[in-house]
Every structure is written in structure tokens, then in C-alpha cells.
Amino acid sequence: MDTSIHAVAEILRSSAVVACLTGAGVSAESGVPTFRDAQTGLWARYDPQRLASPQGFAADPGLVWRWYMARLAGVEKATPNPGHLALAEMERHWPGFALITQNVDDLHERAGNTNIIHLHGSIARFHCQRCGTLHNLQAAERTAPQPPRCATCGGNVRPSVVWFGETLPQSSLTAAVNAVSACDALLVVGTSGLVYPAAELPLIAKRAGSRVIEINPEPGPLSALADVTLRGRSGALLPQLLGIGD
Ligand code: BJW
Ligand code: ZN
């Protein structure tokens, strides 16, 4: 353990209320590509900001559908990594531990966290882009080259994720703001801090008097406001914080 791990452990020991904001980096060690790394192979020539937008879906629904179904298949094959498991252990240690995630996978649920706030929806749920009707997918619809059509209005069915230019679910955003305003320490794990309003949450925490701990192998825009930064992989560092890892 190095000095900064000790500094973080000390902050956590003296905190009664702890919360965590996660991004795609926390699932990277489960084999789920990060959002900005999701452009490998077949998808390398497409701009993720375009694919993850209502405009991109309107322009080429089949392309966006195939991108999401390929990613969903990857999520379903993945299993929680030691970083997810350590965050579940933290919920057992700190009652009320709020896990705010930008991730659209369900790896935090599968690791055992129960108090989870999903800011950007779920890649495994679906609704009609035109009328909003929820839609359960048949296996064959997932592998089809085009999205299913809504039985109610004929519109295109899409994954229930939040795209650029769309508003986050108000209840999730309110719960996240409340959680970061009420905590003594906020862990910020595996996010580039580029996407708003999620990227504002560490600042809200800091202004409310919380200490902010960043865990990320790379520096980013949130590094400057962190009280302590741990440079490395969440799958290695989070278990170390609990004293249960290597
Ligand atoms: C590791 C690791 C390891 C690697 N261990 N770490 C204010 C200012 C400027 C712009 C805006 C603003 N407010 C709103 C906007 C517009 C826009 C926005 O933020 N644009 C920016 C690009 C500038 N925001 C929106 O449109 C949001 N809506 C909104 O605000 O509505 C009101 C409004 C609308 C219009 C105008 C103004 C207001 C909606 C944002 C929705 C984001 N949706 C996505 C797609 C979800 C579905 C999908 O997955 O396809 O969510 S985008 C994508 O980014 C995804 C992620 O959840 C999100 C964050 O990415 P994340 O998690 O940080 O991943 P990466 O890949 O970026 O980073 C990975 C990190 O992991 C890196 O740092 C690595 O180093 C690290 N890492 N391995 C630990 N082992
Ligand atoms: Zn419809």
C-alpha cells in the first residue's frame, strides 16, 4: 500500500456517510469496453457521440440498433470484477452507501449493491422512440439488423438509455444530487468526467463539504478538485481500500 491509499483509507475511516460515482472504467476489467473505447473493430469508424444520440438513431436506426445489441451481448457475458465486489462490500460497511452510476450495464446489481442510482438508464430495457411504450424483446428481435417496430404506433424501439441532448430521469438526478450533498466522502471511480450533468456531482459534493477521492489510471477534468487521487485500476485499488485485496 502506498501513502495515498493510506490517506484515502483514513478519509473513509472518518466518514459516516460515503457515496460513490462510477463510470465505464469500473466495468473495463469485466471486459466491457469503456464508452470512449467502444469503437473497436467494426465500430472503429463511427463517432460514439453520434451513435448515442436521437439524431444518430433517426439517421440510421439499424446501425445504432446493431451497436447496442453487440454491446448488450458483451454485457451479458461479463461478470462483476473485484472493483464491483468491493463497492458492494462498502454498502454493507456504510449503511445508506449510495452508488451513483453512469453505466448502463447491471454489474453493480449483480455484484450485490442495492442502493443504486442509474443516471443514464439501462441497455437491457427498451421503449418506443415515438410513443414511449415499454417493449420486451424476443430473442430474434435482438439479432435483427433493424430495431423492432412498436405494436402501438409503429415507431422504432430503442434501448432505454439516455442519449446526448436528452434529459436524465429527474428522480435519478435528484437522488444523486441529494446523495452527494449529504455525504462525508465521495469516491469518483472510472469516469472521464466529460459528460454533464454527471460531471457536476463531484463539484456539488465538494461545495457541500465532502471530501472527493478520484480513482482512475488517467488524469481528467475532475482531478483538480479531488482531495486525493489514486492512479490505477479500480479492480485493484478498491479492494485494497477495504484491506481485502492485494
Ligand atoms: C478506468 C479503468 C480502470 C479505464 N479502472 N478507471 C454542460 C456543459 C457542456 C455540455 C453539456 C452541459 N450539460 C449538458 C451538456 C450536453 C451533454 C454533454 O455532457 N456533452 C459533453 C460531451 C460536453 N449532456 C447531455 O446531453 C445530457 N443531457 C442533458 O444534460 O440534458 C439537458 C440538456 C440537453 C442539451 C443541452 C443542455 C442540457 C445527457 C448525457 C447522456 C450521456 N449518455 C451516454 C450514453 C449512454 C448510453 C450508452 O452507453 O451508449 O452515457 S454518453 C457516455 O458518456 C455514457 C457514459 O455513461 C458517459 C460517461 O462516460 P464515462 O463513464 O466517463 O466513460 P468514458 O469512456 O468517457 O471514460 C472511461 C474512464 O475510465 C476514463 O477516465 C478511463 O481513464 C477510466 N478507466 N480503465 C478505473 N480499469
Ligand atoms: Zn410507439
Side-chain angles (χ1 to χ4, degrees):
M1 282 223 260
D2 66 26
T3 332
S4 32
I5 288 255
H6 282 296
V8 175
E10 190 46 47
I11 292 175
L12 293 178
R13 258 196 300 275
S14 60
S15 296
V17 184
V18 178
C20 179
L21 170 66
T22 63
V26 84
S27 294
E29 290 161 75
S30 294
V32 179
T34 65
F35 187 74
R36 279 158 191 83
D37 284 344
Q39 305 323 105
T40 50
L42 274 177
W43 308 105
R45 60 202 168 93
Y46 300 103
D47 171 9
Q49 237 162 280
R50 178 89 183 135
L51 289 170
S53 73
Q55 295 79 7
F57 189 55
D60 194 340
L63 177 74
V64 173
W65 182 253
R66 293 190 296 279
W67 185 55
Y68 276 98
M69 291 308 99
R71 289 174 55 208
L72 174 57
V75 164
E76 286 175 338
K77 269 193 292 177
T79 53
N81 67 57
H84 294 108
L85 298 174
L87 291 169
E89 184 62 32
M90 287 185 189
E91 182 181 299
R92 290 187 277 275
H93 189 84
W94 283 281
F97 180 84
L99 195 303
I100 305 157
T101 188
Q102 300 168 78
N103 298 345
V104 296
D105 65 48
D106 62 350
L107 291 171
H108 288 307
E109 280 86 349
R110 285 196 261 151
N113 285 88
T114 60
N115 189 18
I116 305 173
I117 300 164
H118 275 278
L119 293 175
H120 295 160
S122 165
I123 195 170
R125 298 211 181 96
F126 304 91
H127 69 269
C128 171
Q129 171 72 349
R130 193 184 294 161
C131 74
T133 298
L134 301 181
H135 191 95
N136 284 320
L137 277 199
Q138 307 298 318
E141 291 176 305
R142 285 175 50 153
T143 46
Q146 295 295 323
R149 291 301 181 119
C150 171
T152 307
C153 78
N156 282 319
V157 171
R158 56 166 281 184
S160 298
V161 298
V162 181
W163 281 332
F164 286 111
E166 297 181 327
T167 52
L168 279 61
Q170 188 57 51
S171 57
S172 303
L173 188 56
T174 302
V177 169
N178 288 344
V180 300
S181 304
C183 64
D184 302 311
L186 177 69
L187 292 156
V188 179
V189 187
T191 178
S192 57
L194 294 171
V195 174
Y196 287 83
E200 240 159 32
L201 295 170
L203 186 62
I204 293 171
K206 184 96 182 155
R207 286 198 183 128
S210 170
R211 281 172 295 179
V212 174
I213 299 156
E214 180 193 43
I215 298 181
N216 199 309
E218 304 290 337
L222 300 176
S223 303
L225 69 80
D227 293 275
V228 187
T229 290
L230 299 180
R231 287 272 166 261
R233 296 177 294 109
S234 50
L237 290 168
L238 287 170
Q240 282 183 38
L241 288 182
L242 294 170
I244 59 172
D246 42 45

